[in-house]
Amino acid sequence: ELHEGEDRGDIDITIPTTGLRLVHGLVTRQADQSAIRGGNVSLRDPEDKSLLAKTEIHDDGSFALECVPDGTYLIEVEPASQSGLSNFAGSLVVAGDLIDLNYPLKTAANPVVSGR
């Protein structure tokens, strides 16, 4: 076991590149399917909720996570706080490249309004 900041020269680590997948999609507003600008998409371990990967939502609403191993994850979509939209969390099974994901977000029950 190797921890953050540790340096070991006596261990060889092999990382297989087969089975690493692309997870790509779009985050939209449920009401009108317009792209969400800003926020984050995260993959977490479904058992202990530890963060495994995170990426930003681009201005066109797209996101991409590369080199994701096959498996089952908890995916969390968090729009920028000023968007007035609710977060999304759900299960995601990765068993190949996922390139057409779409997460339509609902308006939050108590949207954050800036300038108040």
Side-chain angles (χ1 to χ4, degrees), residues 15-22 66-71 73 94-97:
I15 301 173
T17 57
T18 58
L20 298 180
R21 310 302 183 178
L22 172 65
E66 298 177 344
C67 300
V68 177
D70 289 346
Y73 301 92
V94 177
D97 289 342

Side-chain angles (χ1 to χ4, degrees), residues 20-38:
L20 298 180
R21 310 302 183 178
L22 172 65
V23 176
H24 179 272
L26 190 63
V27 182
T28 59
R29 242 175 243 286
Q30 186 180 45
D32 62 6
Q33 279 67 53
S34 63
I36 300 304
R37 300 178 71 175

Side-chain angles (χ1 to χ4, degrees), residues 11-80:
I11 298 174
D12 289 328
I13 297 175
T14 303
I15 301 173
T17 57
T18 58
L20 298 180
R21 310 302 183 178
L22 172 65
V23 176
H24 179 272
L26 190 63
V27 182
T28 59
R29 242 175 243 286
Q30 186 180 45
D32 62 6
Q33 279 67 53
S34 63
I36 300 304
R37 300 178 71 175
N40 296 298
V41 175
S42 304
L43 290 183
R44 294 188 177 273
D45 183 289
E47 298 297 320
D48 66 12
K49 309 297 187 260
S50 61
L51 181 64
L52 302 173
K54 185 174 184 178
T55 191
E56 292 182 1
I57 300 170
H58 301 289
D59 285 344
D60 64 355
S62 68
F63 68 90
L65 294 157
E66 298 177 344
C67 300
V68 177
D70 289 346
T72 301
Y73 301 92
L74 174 63
I75 187 165
E76 296 179 340
V77 180
E78 301 171 275

